[in-house]
Amino acid sequence: FNYTAMGDTVNLASRLEGANKFYGTVILASESVRQAVGDEYVWREVDLVRVVGRDQPVRLFAPQANTPASPDAEALRARFSEALATYRAGQFNQALALFDAMADRDAIAAAFAERLRGWIANGPPQPWDGITNLESK
């Protein structure tokens, strides 16, 4: 017998697995997975995206080990959160400066900085609604 998993949940999981290449991550989880896992991990919000095959946006999170919080890790999470809010507000030059300040030690920030450089040079997606559209699988 050959078995195949099918359905919306499997499709979304496949899209999120593919999205790792856009963020320099290994694991991305949807908000529903984050809630189901609970407090075993510290979660960092990564982005709000529309994946291929879905109209509703999905909030992405990356897990981090639940170790005693270092001041550096907490500060990075806070700075990233500020940069993400600036990005969503469409303040791309300011967001680029914030992401660039973290890019040397954070792959996700580096991915955002690269994306923003392209948008600033070639024009951002229009209309901007704060949601990243992932066009490929």
Side-chain angles (χ1 to χ4, degrees):
F1 290 97
N2 289 324
Y3 295 94
T4 301
M6 296 172 34
D8 184 59
T9 302
V10 173
N11 187 40
L12 177 59
S14 174
R15 300 295 187 258
L16 296 188
E17 189 275 331
N20 280 298
K21 66 185 171 192
F22 297 114
Y23 296 98
T25 54
V26 177
I27 298 172
L28 287 172
S30 67
E31 190 164 16
S32 61
V33 169
R34 177 194 174 280
Q35 290 171 347
V37 170
D39 295 332
E40 292 299 312
Y41 292 89
V42 175
W43 295 93
R44 174 175 161 196
E45 184 175 358
V46 174
D47 205 354
L48 183 62
V49 302
R50 276 191 203 93
V51 297
V52 174
R54 266 190 166 210
D55 293 329
Q56 293 298 322
V58 177
R59 197 169 303 276
L60 300 183
F61 293 86
Q64 298 177 323
N66 196 3
T67 58
S70 73
D72 226 21
E74 290 298 321
L76 179 66
R77 260 195 302 279
R79 284 193 300 274
F80 185 85
S81 181
E82 177 188 357
L84 188 59
T86 305
Y87 166 82
R88 287 187 180 147
Q91 299 168 346
F92 299 131
N93 288 314
Q94 184 180 354
L96 175 58
L98 293 169
F99 285 123
D100 259 343
M102 297 176 276
D104 62 334
R105 62 188 180 285
D106 184 65
I108 300 170
F112 272 95
E114 182 179 335
R115 179 188 305 166
L116 286 165
R117 275 191 206 85
W119 288 2
I120 290 168
N122 303 312
Q126 294 296 327
W128 176 245
D129 60 0
I131 301 169
T132 303
N133 293 306
L134 298 179
E135 303 294 332
S136 62
K137 298 178 182 182

